[in-house]
Amino acid sequence: MKIFIYSSQSSPRLKYITKFLFGELLGIESEVITNRDEVYTKEFVVNYSNQDVAGLKITPEKLLFEKRISEQNLKVGQQDDFVTLFHNGGESFSFDVFSASFFLLSRYEEYLPHKRDKHDRYDPLHSVAYKNGFLDEPVVNIWAEFLKESLQEKYPSLKFKLPSFKFINTIDVDYAYAYIEKGAIREIGALVRDFFQGKLTECRNKISCYLGWSKDPFDTFDLVLEQHKKHSLSSIFFFHVGDYDTHDKSIPVTSNKLQSLVKGVNDYADIGLHPSYASCNVPDKLRVEFNRISKLVHQPVTKSRFHFIKLNLPQSYRQLIENDATEDYSMGYAAKMGFRAGVCSSYYFYDLDFDSPTTLRVYPFYLMEATVKYYFKEGPEKAMPYFREYIDKVKRYNGTFVSLWHNDSLSEWGQWKGWKQVYLGMIDYVIQSND
């Protein structure tokens, strides 16, 4: 079966978004056609034009046929129980679902002038989704489901092959260890500081780790790999291998123990790069870091998630592509939970400046433990409802739930006491809800 989208003109934007909505979210082949006479030879048609021809009528806006980037009249509206963009009061559809989906997926608004936070990141408080109250809903998936139902109502024999729910367990490794492998100067300095501050227990713990008598608190990799093997999870560890800097205080990449750790983890799970804070928009630094981690595992590393979620579009994604990266997991917010691109499924990044899809696959995430703890000021006892809520939403629309945790948050050490059980509970909930 095949859906034909009739339009008076074609464009790269229209081809991209229809291929995603139909091919990836609804599991049916599609094709854009521009010959009006051809419409009457097809069984299943979407009439994406202002002409009076057969098919499910969707009134087009100008967005998909423009080549420039400019402020858009989003015309926010309502269809049944969900919000819409590019609302135009069409008969079958009250909004241009193709333009609305493209606007969010392409992150169109992030190409326009916008306010940034203290870390020079796009501020979610100024996003269309947040200002219109739908940041916490995967509206693109919701719209795709409505599109499917509308087509089936018009064409009862039409069949779709929907994707299945997926779970990807990801761990950001900002600091592989709390005490060890930081170099003699940093380790001695930490000991002296703790001693003069009267933190004698902390001194003893550090010395015990230095001498190898006890395990470093942040060494939680066995715990994660145990869950990985027990539940046959798809897992990715993003390692920070950048140079020491204000926001980059990771273990030196020259550490033999760190190198052994990365190689050992790579035997069981996937490895990705956690580009440093300092590498954002600095191509030379990013290139060095990709080379470093690739040499450690003796193979190309093609997965990435930016440290501090420091994602600046389109520059960040272009730099990843230049370094042969094929997957990025940074599409989310640090300060807010929700669907930054309006979708709970992975998709190919579309570069608006070049008006073309790219080879970079984007895997959005929707919440992380640090957001709950640092931005929402919630403890572990109140964290699970957030995870259940988003797991349920992603599962409802057959999306991909990408969890985001850090190795140190599983340590049961200091401020992270109690969070390990939230992580284990999250995995159990994903497994049980998928049975």
Side-chain angles (χ1 to χ4, degrees):
M1 290 185 170
K2 189 174 185 178
I3 296 284
F4 292 88
I5 302 98
Y6 170 71
S7 175
S8 56
Q9 61 180 310
S10 185
S11 73
R13 295 179 180 186
L14 178 59
K15 289 180 179 179
Y16 166 81
I17 199 61
T18 52
K19 182 178 180 180
F20 174 73
L21 290 175
F22 290 111
E24 301 209 30
L25 296 191
L26 300 179
I28 190 169
E29 192 178 354
S30 67
E31 181 182 339
V32 175
I33 58 175
T34 57
N35 185 338
R36 177 171 176 159
D37 294 336
E38 197 176 349
V39 170
Y40 299 97
T41 68
K42 308 302 181 185
E43 187 176 3
F44 308 116
V45 177
V46 172
N47 175 17
Y48 189 61
S49 76
N50 291 310
Q51 300 177 33
D52 185 17
V53 298
L56 177 71
K57 182 73 166 68
I58 297 177
T59 303
E61 298 290 323
K62 296 179 180 180
L63 176 62
L64 300 186
F65 306 107
E66 295 177 339
K67 293 184 178 180
R68 66 184 189 279
I69 302 170
S70 60
E71 290 288 346
Q72 296 292 317
N73 181 1
L74 296 178
K75 294 181 285 189
V76 181
Q78 193 79 17
Q79 172 87 46
D80 295 346
D81 59 350
F82 56 81
V83 70
T84 62
L85 300 179
F86 297 96
H87 202 89
N88 52 29
E91 295 178 7
S92 301
F93 256 72
S94 66
F95 70 109
D96 182 349
V97 63
F98 298 146
S99 289
S101 300
F102 181 83
F103 180 87
L104 292 177
L105 235 62
S106 67
R107 301 308 302 130
Y108 197 101
E109 61 188 319
E110 296 191 38
Y111 283 76
L112 300 172
H114 55 265
K115 292 185 178 180
R116 309 185 72 78
D117 69 10
K118 64 180 181 180
H119 294 294
D120 195 34
R121 301 174 299 196
Y122 182 79
D123 191 337
L125 297 182
H126 298 284
S127 69
V128 169
Y130 180 80
K131 289 190 290 188
N132 289 282
F134 64 87
L135 179 60
D136 60 348
E137 296 294 337
V139 289
V140 175
N141 299 81
I142 293 171
W143 296 336
E145 183 176 80
F146 182 67
L147 178 60
K148 176 181 73 72
E149 291 171 351
S150 299
L151 281 165
Q152 287 180 320
E153 183 177 345
K154 187 172 186 65
Y155 303 115
S157 63
L158 190 57
K159 304 295 182 185
F160 297 88
K161 188 177 181 181
L162 302 180
S164 57
F165 169 77
K166 297 181 181 66
F167 170 56
I168 303 178
N169 172 47
T170 74
I171 305 293
D172 283 359
V173 186
D174 300 347
Y175 319 101
Y177 305 108
Y179 298 144
I180 63 175
E181 299 299 310
K182 295 184 176 182
I185 294 177
R186 288 172 65 186
E187 290 175 359
I188 292 172
L191 269 179
V192 171
R193 183 186 65 244
D194 289 344
F195 177 80
F196 282 106
Q197 290 180 353
K199 299 178 180 178
L200 301 184
T201 300
E202 188 78 354
C203 287
R204 285 193 294 270
N205 291 339
K206 288 180 178 178
I207 292 172
S208 180
C209 287
Y210 294 158
L211 297 175
W213 295 344
S214 60
K215 192 175 183 180
D216 188 277
F218 289 177
D219 187 356
T220 59
F221 302 98
D222 287 344
L223 166 70
V224 179
L225 289 175
E226 179 184 338
Q227 294 298 306
H228 169 80
K229 289 182 281 187
K230 177 181 177 182
H231 298 294
S232 299
L233 302 179
S234 175
S235 300
I236 309 170
F237 291 75
F238 294 98
F239 280 93
H240 187 303
V241 294
D243 297 326
Y244 187 87
D245 208 335
T246 304
H247 296 287
D248 299 306
K249 295 180 170 60
S250 61
I251 307 301
V253 73
T254 54
S255 163
N256 290 330
K257 191 172 179 65
L258 176 64
Q259 293 179 13
S260 178
L261 171 65
V262 174
K263 293 173 184 176
V265 169
N266 189 50
D267 288 338
Y268 300 97
D270 289 339
I271 295 295
L273 176 66
H274 199 36
S276 66
Y277 187 100
S279 73
C280 184
N281 297 326
V282 183
D284 289 344
K285 284 185 179 291
L286 185 62
R287 188 176 303 111
V288 166
E289 293 174 20
F290 265 109
N291 288 337
R292 282 176 181 172
I293 197 165
S294 294
K295 287 179 180 178
L296 285 182
V297 295
H298 304 293
Q299 64 187 36
V301 172
T302 60
K303 296 177 173 63
S304 172
R305 178 187 286 129
F306 287 96
H307 189 35
F308 273 70
I309 316 300
K310 198 165 167 55
L311 172 65
N312 292 331
L313 294 179
Q315 295 86 354
S316 297
Y317 278 173
R318 287 179 188 162
Q319 288 172 24
L320 290 183
I321 294 169
E322 288 173 3
N323 283 281
D324 298 320
T326 58
E327 297 177 12
D328 179 73
Y329 293 76
S330 311
M331 184 55 68
Y333 295 121
K336 289 289 180 184
M337 296 186 291
F339 303 90
R340 181 171 178 171
V343 70
C344 64
S345 307
S346 67
Y347 61 96
Y348 285 106
F349 169 59
Y350 191 99
D351 193 324
L352 287 168
D353 283 332
F354 297 108
D355 212 19
S356 174
T358 70
T359 56
L360 184 69
R361 189 84 181 179
V362 177
Y363 288 79
F365 74 91
Y366 323 109
L367 77 164
M368 61 177 170
E369 88 286 48
T371 303
V372 178
K373 177 175 172 52
Y374 293 127
Y375 291 93
F376 291 4
K377 309 297 183 184
E378 298 280 18
E381 67 282 351
K382 294 186 178 181
M384 267 308 295
Y386 292 112
F387 287 95
R388 292 195 194 99
E389 175 187 353
Y390 279 88
I391 291 168
D392 288 346
K393 286 180 179 179
V394 176
K395 182 173 172 50
R396 164 70 179 78
Y397 294 103
N398 305 303
T400 298
F401 183 78
V402 178
S403 64
L404 198 173
W405 286 74
H406 297 74
N407 59 301
D408 53 303
S409 64
L410 306 175
S411 64
E412 290 294 293
W413 183 65
Q415 62 179 337
W416 290 110
K417 189 172 182 60
W419 285 89
K420 180 177 77 172
Q421 291 306 315
V422 180
Y423 172 71
L424 296 176
M426 177 202 72
I427 291 177
D428 285 343
Y429 188 76
V430 169
I431 300 303
Q432 292 168 10
S433 65
N434 207 34
D435 289 340

